[in-house]
Amino acid sequence: MHQWNPEFIRRATTQKSEDRDFTEWHRGRQRYLVWAIQVEDSGWQQCLQQARLALGDILLPGEARCAHITLYAAGFACDESTRSLVE
């Protein structure tokens, strides 16, 4: 049986995931830059697949992203502060 995190249970509200384009967040910007490494370990892949199967009915449809570890979220490619990080 799954044990819920006590901090999560104490929260008065939660925010559900929505399957939509968050235009108010990306404001027409197309490219968001991150530094990430792909997880290619078979043990991790199997664990992630088991989690997807167990959570299948509550995951958003089509959310089968490549297994990865995000090292740094840099921001939108067109933003001045982000450009200075990647130039």
Side-chain angles (χ1 to χ4, degrees), residues 2 9 15-16 19 22 27 32 35 37 40-41 43-44 47 61 70-71:
H2 181 77
I9 297 299
Q15 183 174 346
K16 71 175 186 168
D19 190 13
F22 291 86
R27 297 180 289 181
Y32 191 84
W35 288 90
I37 55 175
E40 295 180 340
D41 179 80
W44 275 102
C47 182
T70 300
L71 302 174

Side-chain angles (χ1 to χ4, degrees), residues 11-76:
R11 299 213 180 245
T13 61
T14 60
Q15 183 174 346
K16 71 175 186 168
S17 294
E18 298 178 57
D19 190 13
R20 68 180 183 88
D21 183 13
F22 291 86
T23 57
E24 69 279 5
W25 177 70
H26 68 73
R27 297 180 289 181
R29 299 171 293 189
Q30 298 298 312
R31 297 179 63 209
Y32 191 84
L33 305 174
V34 298
W35 288 90
I37 55 175
Q38 186 173 340
V39 176
E40 295 180 340
D41 179 80
S42 61
W44 275 102
Q45 294 288 348
Q46 184 178 8
C47 182
L48 290 170
Q49 181 60 26
Q50 289 173 347
R52 286 181 179 130
L53 289 172
L55 299 171
D57 60 336
I58 60 174
L59 294 176
L60 291 175
E63 276 296 319
R65 295 181 183 177
C66 178
H68 70 280
I69 299 169
T70 300
L71 302 174
Y72 182 74
F76 287 98

